[in-house]
Amino acid sequence: MRPLSTAAAILGTALVSCAGGMYGPSAAGNTSLAITNLTNQAVWYLNVRSCGTQDWGRDVLGTGVVTTNETLQRAVPSGCHDVRLRSDPSLHGEVIWTGVDLAAGSTTVRSLGAWQQPH
């Protein structure tokens, strides 16, 4: 079950931001992707895939969530990516950004302003 309290959400996001691995900070050839949640629903899942591929990568949020007006910043490999954000599964919110160009050594900032219903 995902954490629902603000303190748990903040702690979860802080832990995710400090995690290593492919989506951890400071990995060679990485760039930074910052996502601000401007909706009234938390982001429960964040997946990234390389442009032109079909399979989504693992959920880079782990057990954390991105609450309303919170920004999450993660290191991801540079290049062209699709980014999928999903809300609480019972709410069925989803947003997919395609063709997001992440230049090495830079920070790309995106804001989530509204959820869509998946097709």
Side-chain angles (χ1 to χ4, degrees):
M1 169 130 292
R2 295 277 176 163
L4 297 179
S5 73
T6 302
I10 292 169
L11 176 60
T13 301
L15 291 174
V16 168
S17 296
C18 296
M22 180 176 174
Y23 296 101
S26 303
N30 279 358
T31 186
S32 184
L33 174 63
I35 296 175
T36 300
N37 181 7
L38 301 176
T39 73
N40 61 358
Q41 299 174 23
V43 176
W44 279 36
Y45 303 98
L46 169 61
N47 306 93
V48 179
R49 69 179 177 196
S50 295
C51 291
T53 62
Q54 296 298 313
D55 296 326
W56 290 104
R58 65 179 174 81
D59 171 29
V60 299
L61 293 181
T63 59
V65 297
V66 184
T67 60
T68 300
N69 295 320
E70 184 176 30
T71 299
L72 170 76
Q73 186 168 331
R74 298 290 293 149
V76 296
S78 59
C80 182
H81 295 282
D82 298 332
V83 177
R84 179 175 67 178
L85 307 166
R86 292 181 292 156
S87 68
D88 177 334
S90 67
L91 301 174
H92 307 289
E94 179 178 81
V95 169
I96 298 175
W97 296 321
T98 58
V100 178
D101 186 25
L102 304 173
S106 68
T107 299
T108 300
V109 180
R110 295 302 282 286
S111 295
L112 174 62
W115 290 103
Q116 301 169 352
Q117 297 300 313
H119 303 281

